[in-house]
Amino acid sequence: YDILRGKLAALSIAAMVILVGVPLWWKTTQTYRAWLPVAQINELAKLQLQLSADVEVVFARGTATPEQQKKVPVTQTQDEDHAVDEDTTLRYRHETRYRTATVMEEDALKQPTAAEADLSLHRLSESPCGSLVIYVIPESSSLLPENVNVYIGQRRTALLRIGAQMKVGKTLKQLLAHLEPRVKQILQVMSFSHNDITAALSDRVRFSPDNKESIADSMRAFKSSPGYEITFSLLNPDPKSHRLHWDIEGAVQTYIQPLLTKLSPVANFSLDSQILYYAMLGVNPRYDSSRSAYILNADSLAHVINPVEARLGSNAASSNPVLNFLLYVPDAHHSPLYIHDHKKREVQTNAFHSPRWGGIMVYNVNGFYQTGTNFPVDVNINMAKVMGVFLAQLRLLLGVQSTAPPSSFQVAPCGSSGLADWELDRLMWSRSVENVATATTTITSLAQLLDQIGNIVINDNIAQQVSSAVTSLQLAVAELEVGNLGFALQYSKEAILASEKAFFDPSLLHLLYFPDDQKFAIYIPLFLPMCVPILLSLLKIVSEVRQRRREKQAKKD
């Protein structure tokens, strides 16, 4: 009876361990992994982008024959496909609608200058973001100079001078065939171009050597970010010689703030300023006796930034990129100081910029030093001159790319805002594509990482961020496809924020330090002493059962 009871006890303990203990241990120690939309992420890994832009071509009086006018309005759609690599394809779609000008548009085109006509047309109707309107004007029009065939305004409007009617052709088909290459030229300047878009895909696609200009532009500009910090610094290495006064607050409000306000759909900006005393460039300029001036060669400019940057400080409270703009006033012993380029020529602005860092301008004040002057000299800095340089550098560093137009094009100055509407559109196209490319790369990398390392916890918060990023990406791609540029940029910004928040979540690192071999090292000392007696008892019971079977078989034989 005692032997039977011992066997039953061993079997019941084994059954409890196998049926209850092991499943309970497995359930309580397994890694929690919330559901992720893996199928949708895999679809985004094969990125197929379509960029659609609406173009309206308006015929003014005298540009189309009555026969041609009867057949308009008419719409044409042109698609252009590019396979960037095996995982990325691009399609550019321009939907061009041809129509005749209204009476009010005809009146606007009678203005004495192209700039006034552009303003009058803008007041009639504002074109939506990402679209263009091209007004075809007769050859005899006085709006454009003789050697200019295309005028690009500050808004989303262009004026195109048509050739003589006998050269164009009599049918509407011939007229449109004549206009098509010229409209395409305008689109290359005012809308997105293939080089700009492939440069925006730099995080995803390797560059081919044929678009070096766009590569250089993209490497100069800061990467897309939800926000930027802009710091203006005045460097006064010799406060004993000159007392500097700069109205940085008024200058920012006048020259910089209008640009930043216009760029608000792209990113948020914060500005600050500082004055640094006894801050030297860290490079000894060469004295040129022929000019009685000091020269800073292009080769030594790279060595200027590091010593200065150590004095600038950093904003530890923000993770946004910082754009530094430095105004350096040379000390009296090294003044005047001029910057020379690689061809040993003097740089007119006396300034230079460093890609993805900022710009430095040298401001000479030696004209204030007169014989018998009492030091320190009070110097009022000409902020219009300084801000003109910093504004041009800011445009370059933020990726506002100024494509050189053909010789027959006249581009209007960008106005008080420092940015034309069509330049903003070009930047928004590039930023939308860059955000989509970066977010898809981040989210697919995260999915691959979580798939390869099975012991990383995926909590509900990360799953929610991943799902939000995937949804925003799908919406951004869809809005790009229908040409809603503003919504596409907004969704792409939401996608990149959600994807990076998920990718850099600290909870993803908790179990990386416990691989399987370490788990066994922890569990074996815990379970082995308990499992050995149970296993030995089970083996003994099995051997006794087998022995009895053999004895029964022997008796039968």
Side-chain angles (χ1 to χ4, degrees):
Y1 179 76
D2 291 337
I3 295 173
L4 179 62
R5 188 173 64 178
K7 290 179 181 178
L8 290 173
L11 288 171
S12 61
I13 292 171
M16 284 289 290
V17 169
I18 295 171
L19 298 177
V20 179
V22 171
L24 184 63
W25 166 77
W26 184 264
K27 184 68 178 175
T28 55
T29 58
Q30 72 175 357
T31 303
Y32 179 73
R33 295 170 71 85
W35 177 84
L36 295 178
V38 178
Q40 297 174 13
I41 293 172
N42 292 334
E43 287 179 8
L44 289 170
K46 296 277 188 182
L47 189 60
Q48 296 179 336
L49 277 179
Q50 177 176 309
L51 277 63
S52 301
D54 292 332
V55 184
E56 205 169 27
V57 178
V58 183
F59 294 105
R61 189 182 293 115
T63 57
T65 63
E67 195 65 32
Q68 292 167 343
Q69 291 180 24
K70 289 178 184 177
K71 297 181 180 179
V72 293
V74 65
T75 302
Q76 289 184 344
T77 301
Q78 293 180 335
D79 289 340
E80 188 179 333
D81 294 318
H82 294 273
V84 183
D85 65 7
E86 57 184 9
D87 292 329
T88 310
T89 57
L90 295 171
R91 168 175 286 183
Y92 308 131
R93 169 167 290 181
H94 289 104
E95 192 164 317
T96 309
R97 180 173 178 266
Y98 298 91
R99 65 174 178 84
T100 55
T102 63
V103 176
M104 297 178 73
E105 287 172 330
E106 290 286 359
D107 290 339
L109 290 171
K110 291 177 182 176
Q111 297 290 331
T113 63
E116 290 175 282
D118 179 44
L119 179 60
S120 299
L121 291 168
H122 173 70
R123 287 171 177 167
L124 288 177
S125 63
E126 187 173 352
S127 303
C129 187
S131 65
L132 294 174
V133 182
I134 301 171
Y135 288 91
V136 182
I137 58 177
E139 189 178 28
S140 59
S141 174
S142 60
L143 284 175
L144 303 183
E146 288 185 8
N147 58 341
V148 174
N149 290 325
V150 175
Y151 174 84
I152 295 175
Q154 295 180 7
R155 287 90 192 172
R156 299 178 177 94
T157 305
L159 303 179
L160 168 61
R161 191 203 299 273
I162 197 171
Q165 193 65 47
M166 61 190 72
K167 298 177 185 175
V168 174
K170 292 183 178 180
T171 66
L172 181 64
K173 188 176 181 181
Q174 290 173 322
L175 175 63
L176 300 187
H178 171 77
L179 290 175
E180 186 178 329
R182 306 176 73 184
V183 169
K184 195 171 183 180
Q185 272 187 318
I186 296 172
L187 292 175
Q188 286 291 316
V189 175
M190 298 184 71
S191 187
F192 53 81
S193 67
H194 181 58
N195 285 348
D196 291 346
I197 300 304
T198 50
L201 293 169
S202 58
D203 281 350
R204 183 183 176 93
V205 184
R206 290 194 177 190
F207 284 120
S208 55
D210 57 338
N211 21 333
K212 291 182 180 177
E213 187 178 339
S214 288
I215 297 172
D217 286 339
S218 66
M219 290 177 67
R220 179 193 297 118
F222 277 83
K223 302 295 290 180
S224 181
S225 172
Y228 297 93
E229 311 284 333
I230 301 177
T231 301
F232 294 97
S233 303
L234 175 62
L235 275 58
N236 186 358
D238 190 11
K240 294 179 181 178
S241 299
H242 38 243
R243 191 184 295 114
L244 304 177
H245 306 279
W246 70 333
D247 182 18
I248 186 62
E249 187 175 353
V252 164
Q253 288 297 324
T254 304
Y255 300 101
I256 303 297
Q257 195 58 52
L259 173 65
L260 301 185
T261 302
K262 199 158 189 178
L263 285 171
S264 57
V266 178
N268 298 319
F269 297 90
S270 65
L271 297 102
D272 56 74
S273 63
Q274 60 183 344
I275 300 176
L276 300 178
Y277 295 100
Y278 301 103
M280 307 296 292
L281 284 182
V283 174
N284 292 322
R286 176 178 57 85
Y287 182 70
D288 186 353
S289 56
S290 63
R291 299 188 54 199
S292 299
Y294 289 86
I295 305 300
L296 205 57
N297 292 321
D299 297 333
S300 60
L301 296 180
H303 306 290
V304 169
I305 293 174
N306 285 349
V308 172
E309 192 172 27
R311 294 285 309 274
L312 294 179
S314 61
N315 188 358
S318 173
S319 59
N320 293 330
V322 180
L323 288 78
N324 297 288
F325 294 98
L326 277 60
L327 182 63
Y328 179 76
V329 180
D331 59 279
H333 301 292
H334 295 92
S335 185
L337 176 63
Y338 297 106
I339 297 174
H340 280 196
D341 59 17
H342 289 285
K343 296 181 180 179
K344 309 296 182 184
R345 295 178 303 191
E346 184 179 322
V347 177
Q348 289 185 351
T349 58
N350 214 26
F352 70 96
H353 69 273
S354 177
R356 297 185 184 178
W357 185 84
I360 298 178
M361 179 181 180
V362 177
Y363 190 90
N364 291 307
V365 295
N366 55 296
F368 290 87
Y369 303 144
Q370 306 293 337
T371 54
T373 302
N374 294 323
F375 291 97
V377 179
D378 285 303
V379 177
N380 291 313
I381 294 173
N382 182 355
M383 296 307 293
K385 177 183 176 183
V386 172
M387 284 299 164
V389 174
F390 284 163
L391 187 64
Q393 292 177 343
L394 180 61
R395 281 169 52 93
L396 289 172
L397 293 168
L398 290 177
V400 181
Q401 300 168 7
S402 300
T403 304
S407 58
S408 61
F409 280 48
Q410 180 182 341
V411 180
C414 48
S416 59
S417 65
L419 190 72
D421 290 355
W422 58 270
E423 287 181 312
L424 176 63
D425 289 353
R426 277 182 68 117
L427 182 62
M428 290 173 67
W429 285 116
S430 297
R431 290 298 196 217
S432 299
V433 172
E434 183 181 349
N435 290 344
V436 168
T438 304
T440 52
T441 303
T442 302
I443 214 73
T444 50
S445 299
L446 178 61
Q448 291 170 4
L449 176 71
L450 296 176
D451 184 54
Q452 291 171 2
I453 306 176
N455 60 351
I456 295 183
V457 171
I458 307 175
N459 58 40
D460 293 332
N461 179 48
I462 292 173
Q464 182 183 358
Q465 294 294 341
V466 171
S467 298
S468 174
V470 169
T471 303
S472 297
L473 276 171
Q474 291 172 336
L475 290 170
V477 171
E479 296 295 348
L480 283 174
E481 191 170 332
V482 297
N484 292 334
L485 182 54
F487 287 115
L489 179 62
Q490 184 60 36
Y491 286 131
S492 70
K493 286 163 63 178
E494 293 173 5
I496 203 168
L497 283 171
S499 63
E500 291 189 353
K501 193 173 181 181
F503 192 86
F504 294 107
D505 194 291
S507 67
L508 293 179
L509 301 175
H510 282 181
L511 293 185
L512 280 179
Y513 305 102
F514 294 97
D516 291 337
D517 55 348
Q518 291 188 20
K519 286 183 180 179
F520 284 120
I522 294 170
Y523 288 132
I524 285 175
L526 183 65
F527 288 112
L528 194 60
M530 180 184 70
C531 292
V532 168
I534 296 174
L535 288 172
L536 291 176
S537 299
L538 290 175
L539 289 173
K540 187 176 180 181
I541 292 171
V542 170
S543 65
E544 287 180 0
V545 171
R546 286 181 177 177
Q547 183 65 27
R548 286 178 183 176
R549 284 181 180 176
R550 287 195 199 101
E551 290 175 357
K552 286 182 180 180
Q553 190 69 31
K555 287 179 181 180
K556 286 181 180 180
D557 293 342

